[in-house]
Amino acid sequence: MVFLMYMGIANWGGLLILQKVVGTQFETPSFLYFCGVALVVFSTRRIVDQRRERIKRVAAERHAYAVSTRDPLTQLPNRRQFQSEVSAALKSSNNIMSILLLGLDHFRKLNEVYGHLGCDEALVQIGSRIRDCAKSGDIVARIGDDEFALCLPGADPETAHRVACSLVETVKKPVQIGIEHHSIGASVGITQAGRGHMTVDELLRCAHVALSRARNTHTECCFFDPKMDAHVRERSLLEKDLRAAIGGYDIRPYYQPIVDLKTRRIVSFESLARWHHPMNGLVTPDTFLPIAEELGLINVLSGQLFGDACRDAATWPEYISLSFNFSPTQFSDRNFAQDVLTILSDTGLPAHRLEAEITESALVADFEATRHAIQTLRNSGVRIVIDDFGTGYSGLSHLYELRFDKLKIDKRFIKELGKSTESDVFLRAIFGLCKGLDLCITAEGIENDAQADAAFRHGAHQGQGFLFSEAVPASAVSQLLAGSLPAQRIAVA
Ligand code: C2E
Ligand code: CA
Ligand code: CA
């Protein structure tokens, strides 16, 4: 209204100026008529413009809201919206509810095969199937690239499990990508909410732990269990510590002697990794090597250990060799053999003083790459040892196809020596085979004289075990070689 009055006065002012300029006096009724028409035209235009602006603003706000709360691909609520809806549901009800987290299996591989567009097609179909599985009141969302979350208010564990299983079945049905049909597996982690004061983030974290467990154990659905959580926390701490330990060179090679069973003289040392953990003390490799492998740090760690071991071994007497354990992953790497030879030359350890230990699992993992690495190393003078023989899955044909220099019989067979006919029969067969192939045999895990004698009688050339010595730090090697550790058992070569 004020605006209209202002415009009226402005119009009147304008008219007075016009009168002055033109020099004509307008009559009062025409002036008023003129003012009225101008006012009506002007205010109508303003009203129309304002309405248009309001409609535009509402549409823009709606769009911004949709973008911030919906997944643009599947049109399902996104993580943010899921969090706000579940959080509201948690506040408004004391009833139990189940949170389900569904993860698609091998999604990254699917991306590699079909590309982003193909994956998008698959996700749209899967998203719509998951939405169809939900009943009214359930909250369904896509909360990650390959993750969907559901909140089922009022659902007890039994119902949640039933829904989870039917979700997996539904998702598994083939999706159409272009002209192809592809089946995508899924796993579900389930957690219960309602009792206690957990936030949505905490609930999702628990469901995530359960999902990882489902994936690792190849069970389609898995419930969260607090013990699982403790394990995950412990493990993530260990991962953090391990990264720091590798960065700080806190994992060092220790050396266990291998002796000639006839003379009881040391012929070589096997490098065994030991981690000086600030809280847990000396940690053995079975604890940290699988984690280093999973974290993709095994090559870095092994490179450090191998470099250290070669430098140490270069200071030992000429006739003492170094045995080093290489992981199956390393043997699958095309540059592996060349890297080993480079480190040997950098550290000054001659190739003929190195024994590369390889387990049967490397042969199963990537036979061709392993064969190539073995050939390159052998051609340079490195001896190849097959470790833990009898515990893996490789066939005897591998012994025939690949040239090894030495075979180590696993400690579990040595323990059984003379105790069971089966293990004696097995060992006799292996010893016979090795003799025929002209392979040196080392018996592992010798803990007493009886085992050392029995292994020798069966035909083992060398022995390794606590009877002779445990693995010792580099600084104690010279004492072992001097015969002062552990006294009588070992003679100096
Ligand atoms: P392995 O190559 O079979 O090494 C022998 C294992 O048997 C060592 O365990 C050693 O301490 C243990 N041992 C030796 N003598 C006896 C005995 O008389 N009785 C018993 N019960 N055990 C004995 P450790 O040091 O815990 O190593 C476990 C495995 O970890 C090794 O088995 C090897 O496969 C792997 N490993 C160790 N160091 C490295 C490394 O630097 N790189 C890689 N890739 N693997 C390593
Ligand atoms: Ca070994
Ligand atoms: Ca072994």
Side-chain angles (χ1 to χ4, degrees), residues 253 256 270-274 284-286 288-289 293 298 301-302 305-306 324-328 330 357 359 387-388 408 410-411 415 444-448 451 464-467 469-471:
Q256 186 179 34
E270 177 174 7
S271 160
L272 295 166
R274 294 289 181 270
T284 50
D286 289 337
F288 61 84
L289 285 179
E293 190 104 30
I298 193 72
L301 174 60
S302 196
L305 288 164
F306 184 54
F324 194 86
N325 295 284
F326 292 103
S327 82
Q330 291 180 282
E357 295 201 10
T359 53
D387 199 0
D388 298 343
K408 291 179 97 172
D410 190 65
K411 49 182 171 282
K415 220 175 222 146
E444 292 187 312
I446 294 187
E447 294 183 353
N448 53 50
Q451 286 169 341
Q464 178 181 6
F466 297 161
L467 171 69
S469 168
E470 290 185 23

Coordinates of all heavy atoms in Angstrom, one line a residue, residues 253 256 270-274 284-286 288-289 293 298 301-302 305-306 324-328 330 357 359 387-388 408 410-411 415 444-448 451 464-467 469-471, ligand 1:
P253 N 65.1 -58.7 10.8 CA 65.3 -60.1 10.7 C 66.0 -60.7 11.9 O 67.0 -60.1 12.4 CB 66.2 -60.2 9.4 CG 66.8 -58.8 9.3 CD 66.0 -57.8 10.0
Q256 N 67.7 -68.0 12.5 CA 67.7 -69.4 13.1 C 68.7 -70.3 12.3 O 68.6 -70.3 11.1 CB 66.3 -70.0 13.1 CG 66.3 -71.3 13.8 CD 64.9 -72.0 13.9 OE1 64.1 -71.8 12.9 NE2 64.6 -72.7 14.9
E270 N 68.4 -69.1 8.6 CA 67.1 -68.6 8.0 C 66.7 -67.3 8.6 O 66.6 -67.2 9.9 CB 66.0 -69.7 8.2 CG 64.7 -69.2 7.6 CD 63.5 -70.2 7.6 OE1 63.7 -71.3 8.2 OE2 62.5 -69.9 7.0
S271 N 66.4 -66.3 7.8 CA 65.9 -65.0 8.3 C 64.4 -65.2 8.7 O 63.6 -65.6 7.8 CB 66.1 -64.0 7.2 OG 65.3 -62.9 7.4
L272 N 64.1 -64.8 9.9 CA 62.7 -64.9 10.4 C 62.3 -63.5 10.9 O 63.1 -63.0 11.8 CB 62.5 -66.0 11.4 CG 62.7 -67.4 10.9 CD1 62.8 -68.4 12.1 CD2 61.6 -67.8 10.0
A273 N 61.3 -62.9 10.4 CA 61.0 -61.5 10.8 C 60.5 -61.4 12.2 O 59.7 -62.3 12.7 CB 59.9 -61.0 9.9
R274 N 60.9 -60.4 13.0 CA 60.5 -60.2 14.3 C 60.1 -58.7 14.5 O 60.9 -57.8 14.1 CB 61.5 -60.6 15.4 CG 61.9 -62.0 15.4 CD 60.7 -62.9 16.0 NE 61.0 -64.3 16.1 CZ 60.7 -65.2 15.2 NH1 60.2 -64.8 14.0 NH2 61.0 -66.4 15.3
T284 N 55.6 -62.4 16.5 CA 56.0 -63.3 15.5 C 55.3 -63.0 14.2 O 54.2 -62.5 14.2 CB 55.9 -64.7 15.9 OG1 54.5 -64.9 16.4 CG2 56.9 -65.1 17.0
P285 N 55.9 -63.5 13.1 CA 55.3 -63.1 11.8 C 53.9 -63.6 11.5 O 53.2 -63.0 10.7 CB 56.3 -63.7 10.8 CG 57.2 -64.6 11.6 CD 57.1 -64.2 13.0
D286 N 53.5 -64.7 12.1 CA 52.1 -65.2 11.8 C 51.1 -64.1 12.1 O 50.0 -64.1 11.5 CB 51.8 -66.5 12.5 CG 52.7 -67.6 12.0 OD1 53.0 -67.5 10.8 OD2 52.9 -68.6 12.7
F288 N 51.6 -60.6 12.0 CA 51.6 -59.4 11.2 C 51.8 -59.6 9.7 O 51.4 -58.7 8.9 CB 52.7 -58.4 11.7 CG 54.1 -58.9 11.7 CD1 54.9 -58.8 10.6 CD2 54.7 -59.4 12.9 CE1 56.2 -59.2 10.6 CE2 56.0 -59.9 12.8 CZ 56.7 -59.8 11.7
L289 N 52.4 -60.7 9.3 CA 52.6 -60.9 7.8 C 51.3 -60.9 7.0 O 51.1 -60.2 6.0 CB 53.4 -62.1 7.5 CG 54.9 -62.0 7.8 CD1 55.6 -63.3 7.4 CD2 55.5 -60.8 7.0
E293 N 50.3 -58.2 4.2 CA 49.8 -58.7 2.9 C 48.5 -58.0 2.5 O 48.4 -57.5 1.4 CB 49.7 -60.2 2.9 CG 49.5 -60.9 1.6 CD 50.8 -61.6 1.2 OE1 51.5 -62.1 2.0 OE2 50.9 -61.7 0.0
I298 N 53.4 -55.8 1.9 CA 54.3 -56.9 2.0 C 55.6 -56.7 1.2 O 56.7 -57.0 1.6 CB 53.6 -58.3 1.6 CG1 54.5 -59.5 2.1 CG2 53.3 -58.4 0.2 CD1 54.5 -59.7 3.5
L301 N 57.8 -54.2 3.2 CA 58.4 -54.9 4.3 C 59.4 -55.9 4.0 O 60.5 -55.9 4.5 CB 57.2 -55.5 5.1 CG 57.7 -56.4 6.3 CD1 58.4 -55.5 7.3 CD2 56.5 -57.0 7.0
S302 N 59.1 -56.7 3.0 CA 60.0 -57.8 2.6 C 61.3 -57.2 2.0 O 62.4 -57.7 2.2 CB 59.3 -58.7 1.6 OG 60.1 -59.8 1.4
L305 N 63.4 -56.1 4.9 CA 64.0 -57.3 5.6 C 65.1 -57.9 4.8 O 66.2 -58.3 5.3 CB 62.9 -58.3 5.9 CG 61.9 -57.9 7.0 CD1 60.7 -58.8 7.0 CD2 62.5 -58.0 8.4
F306 N 64.8 -58.0 3.5 CA 65.8 -58.7 2.7 C 67.1 -57.9 2.5 O 68.2 -58.5 2.6 CB 65.1 -59.0 1.3 CG 66.0 -59.8 0.4 CD1 66.6 -61.0 0.7 CD2 66.4 -59.3 -0.9 CE1 67.4 -61.7 -0.1 CE2 67.2 -60.0 -1.8 CZ 67.7 -61.2 -1.3
F324 N 66.1 -67.0 2.9 CA 65.1 -66.0 3.0 C 63.7 -66.4 2.5 O 63.6 -67.0 1.4 CB 65.6 -64.7 2.3 CG 64.8 -63.5 2.7 CD1 65.1 -62.7 3.8 CD2 63.6 -63.1 2.0 CE1 64.4 -61.6 4.2 CE2 62.9 -62.0 2.4 CZ 63.3 -61.3 3.5
N325 N 62.7 -66.1 3.3 CA 61.3 -66.5 2.9 C 60.7 -65.4 2.1 O 60.6 -64.2 2.5 CB 60.4 -66.6 4.2 CG 60.9 -67.8 5.1 OD1 60.6 -68.9 4.8 ND2 61.6 -67.4 6.2
F326 N 60.3 -65.7 0.9 CA 59.6 -64.7 0.0 C 58.1 -65.1 0.0 O 57.8 -66.3 0.0 CB 60.2 -64.7 -1.4 CG 61.6 -64.2 -1.4 CD1 62.7 -65.0 -1.6 CD2 61.8 -62.8 -1.4 CE1 64.0 -64.5 -1.6 CE2 63.1 -62.3 -1.4 CZ 64.2 -63.2 -1.5
S327 N 57.3 -64.1 0.0 CA 55.9 -64.4 0.0 C 55.3 -64.8 -1.4 O 55.9 -64.3 -2.4 CB 55.1 -63.3 0.6 OG 54.8 -62.3 -0.4
P328 N 54.3 -65.6 -1.5 CA 53.7 -65.9 -2.8 C 53.4 -64.7 -3.6 O 53.6 -64.7 -4.8 CB 52.4 -66.7 -2.4 CG 52.7 -67.2 -1.0 CD 53.6 -66.3 -0.4
Q330 N 55.0 -62.0 -3.8 CA 56.2 -61.5 -4.4 C 56.5 -62.3 -5.7 O 56.9 -61.7 -6.7 CB 57.3 -61.5 -3.4 CG 57.2 -60.5 -2.3 CD 58.3 -60.6 -1.4 OE1 58.4 -61.5 -0.5 NE2 59.3 -59.7 -1.5
E357 N 63.4 -69.2 -0.2 CA 62.4 -70.2 0.2 C 61.0 -69.8 -0.3 O 60.6 -68.6 -0.2 CB 62.3 -70.2 1.8 CG 63.6 -70.8 2.4 CD 63.5 -71.3 3.8 OE1 62.3 -71.5 4.2 OE2 64.5 -71.6 4.4
T359 N 56.9 -71.2 -0.7 CA 55.9 -72.2 -0.2 C 55.1 -72.7 -1.4 O 55.0 -72.1 -2.4 CB 54.9 -71.6 0.9 OG1 54.3 -70.4 0.3 CG2 55.6 -71.2 2.1
D387 N 59.5 -74.8 0.7 CA 59.3 -74.7 2.2 C 58.0 -75.4 2.6 O 57.0 -75.5 1.8 CB 59.2 -73.2 2.6 CG 59.4 -73.0 4.0 OD1 59.7 -74.0 4.8 OD2 59.4 -71.8 4.5
D388 N 57.9 -75.8 3.8 CA 56.6 -76.4 4.4 C 56.1 -77.5 3.5 O 54.9 -77.6 3.3 CB 55.5 -75.3 4.5 CG 55.9 -74.2 5.5 OD1 56.9 -74.4 6.2 OD2 55.3 -73.1 5.4
K408 N 62.1 -78.5 2.2 CA 62.0 -78.5 3.7 C 60.7 -79.2 4.1 O 59.6 -78.9 3.7 CB 62.0 -77.1 4.2 CG 63.3 -76.4 4.0 CD 63.3 -75.0 4.5 CE 63.9 -74.8 5.9 NZ 64.0 -73.4 6.3
D410 N 57.9 -80.1 6.6 CA 57.3 -79.3 7.6 C 57.4 -80.0 9.0 O 57.4 -81.2 9.1 CB 55.8 -79.1 7.2 CG 55.2 -78.1 8.2 OD1 55.6 -76.9 8.1 OD2 54.3 -78.5 9.0
K411 N 57.4 -79.1 10.0 CA 57.6 -79.6 11.4 C 56.5 -80.6 11.9 O 56.7 -81.5 12.7 CB 57.7 -78.5 12.4 CG 56.7 -77.4 12.4 CD 57.1 -76.3 13.4 CE 56.3 -75.1 13.3 NZ 56.7 -74.2 12.2
K415 N 57.3 -84.0 13.9 CA 56.7 -84.3 15.2 C 56.2 -85.7 15.2 O 56.2 -86.4 16.3 CB 55.6 -83.3 15.4 CG 55.6 -82.8 16.9 CD 54.5 -81.8 17.1 CE 55.1 -80.7 17.9 NZ 54.7 -79.4 17.7
E444 N 62.4 -79.7 9.4 CA 62.1 -78.5 10.3 C 61.5 -78.9 11.6 O 61.0 -80.0 11.7 CB 61.0 -77.7 9.6 CG 61.4 -77.0 8.3 CD 60.3 -76.0 7.9 OE1 59.1 -76.4 7.8 OE2 60.7 -74.9 7.5
G445 N 61.6 -78.1 12.6 CA 61.0 -78.3 13.9 C 61.6 -79.4 14.7 O 60.9 -80.1 15.4
I446 N 62.9 -79.6 14.6 CA 63.6 -80.6 15.4 C 63.8 -80.1 16.8 O 64.4 -79.1 17.0 CB 65.0 -81.0 14.8 CG1 64.7 -81.7 13.5 CG2 65.7 -81.9 15.7 CD1 65.9 -82.2 12.8
E447 N 63.1 -80.7 17.8 CA 63.1 -80.2 19.2 C 63.9 -81.1 20.1 O 64.2 -80.7 21.2 CB 61.7 -80.0 19.7 CG 61.0 -79.0 18.9 CD 59.6 -78.7 19.4 OE1 59.1 -79.4 20.3 OE2 59.0 -77.7 18.9
N448 N 64.2 -82.4 19.7 CA 65.0 -83.3 20.5 C 65.9 -84.1 19.7 O 65.8 -84.2 18.5 CB 64.1 -84.1 21.5 CG 63.0 -84.8 20.7 OD1 63.4 -85.5 19.7 ND2 61.8 -84.6 21.0
Q451 N 64.3 -86.9 17.5 CA 63.8 -86.4 16.2 C 65.0 -86.2 15.2 O 64.9 -86.5 14.0 CB 63.0 -85.1 16.4 CG 61.7 -85.4 17.0 CD 61.0 -84.1 17.4 OE1 61.7 -83.0 17.6 NE2 59.7 -84.1 17.6
Q464 N 66.7 -78.2 11.4 CA 66.5 -76.8 12.0 C 65.4 -77.0 13.1 O 64.5 -77.8 12.9 CB 65.9 -76.0 10.8 CG 65.6 -74.6 11.2 CD 65.0 -73.8 10.0 OE1 64.7 -74.4 9.0 NE2 64.7 -72.5 10.2
G465 N 65.7 -76.3 14.2 CA 64.7 -76.5 15.3 C 65.2 -76.0 16.6 O 66.4 -75.6 16.7
F466 N 64.4 -76.0 17.6 CA 64.7 -75.4 18.9 C 65.8 -76.3 19.6 O 66.5 -75.8 20.4 CB 63.5 -75.4 19.8 CG 62.4 -74.4 19.3 CD1 61.1 -74.5 19.8 CD2 62.8 -73.4 18.4 CE1 60.2 -73.6 19.3 CE2 61.8 -72.5 17.9 CZ 60.5 -72.6 18.4
L467 N 66.0 -77.5 19.1 CA 67.1 -78.3 19.7 C 68.4 -77.6 19.4 O 69.3 -77.6 20.3 CB 67.2 -79.7 19.0 CG 68.4 -80.6 19.3 CD1 68.3 -81.0 20.7 CD2 68.5 -81.8 18.4
S469 N 68.8 -74.1 18.0 CA 68.6 -72.8 18.5 C 67.3 -72.2 18.0 O 66.9 -72.5 16.9 CB 69.8 -71.9 18.1 OG 69.5 -70.6 18.3
E470 N 66.8 -71.3 18.8 CA 65.7 -70.4 18.3 C 66.3 -69.4 17.4 O 67.5 -69.2 17.3 CB 64.9 -69.8 19.4 CG 64.2 -70.7 20.3 CD 63.4 -70.0 21.3 OE1 63.1 -68.8 21.2 OE2 63.1 -70.7 22.3
A471 N 65.4 -68.5 16.8 CA 65.9 -67.4 16.0 C 66.5 -66.4 16.9 O 66.0 -66.1 18.0 CB 64.8 -66.8 15.1
Ligands
C2E1 P1 58.8 -71.1 8.3 O1 59.4 -70.6 7.1 O2 58.3 -72.5 8.3 O3 59.7 -70.8 9.6 C1 59.9 -71.7 10.6 C2 59.0 -71.4 11.7 O4 59.1 -72.5 12.7 C3 59.5 -70.2 12.5 O5 58.3 -69.6 13.0 C4 60.3 -70.8 13.6 O6 60.4 -69.9 14.7 C5 59.5 -72.0 13.9 N1 60.4 -73.0 14.5 C6 61.7 -73.2 14.3 N2 62.1 -74.3 15.0 C7 61.0 -74.8 15.7 C8 60.8 -75.9 16.5 O7 61.7 -76.6 16.9 N3 59.6 -76.1 17.0 C9 58.5 -75.3 16.7 N4 57.4 -75.5 17.2 N5 58.7 -74.2 15.8 C10 59.9 -74.0 15.3 P2 58.1 -68.0 12.9 O8 59.4 -67.3 13.0 O9 57.0 -67.7 13.8 O10 57.7 -67.9 11.4 C11 56.5 -68.4 10.9 C12 56.4 -68.3 9.4 O11 56.4 -66.9 9.0 C13 57.7 -68.8 8.7 O12 57.5 -70.2 8.7 C14 57.6 -68.2 7.4 O13 56.7 -68.8 6.5 C15 57.0 -66.8 7.7 N6 58.1 -65.8 7.7 C16 59.0 -65.5 8.7 N7 59.7 -64.5 8.4 C17 59.3 -64.1 7.1 C18 59.7 -63.1 6.2 O14 60.6 -62.3 6.4 N8 59.1 -63.0 5.0 C19 58.0 -63.9 4.7 N9 57.4 -63.8 3.5 N10 57.6 -64.9 5.5 C20 58.3 -65.0 6.7

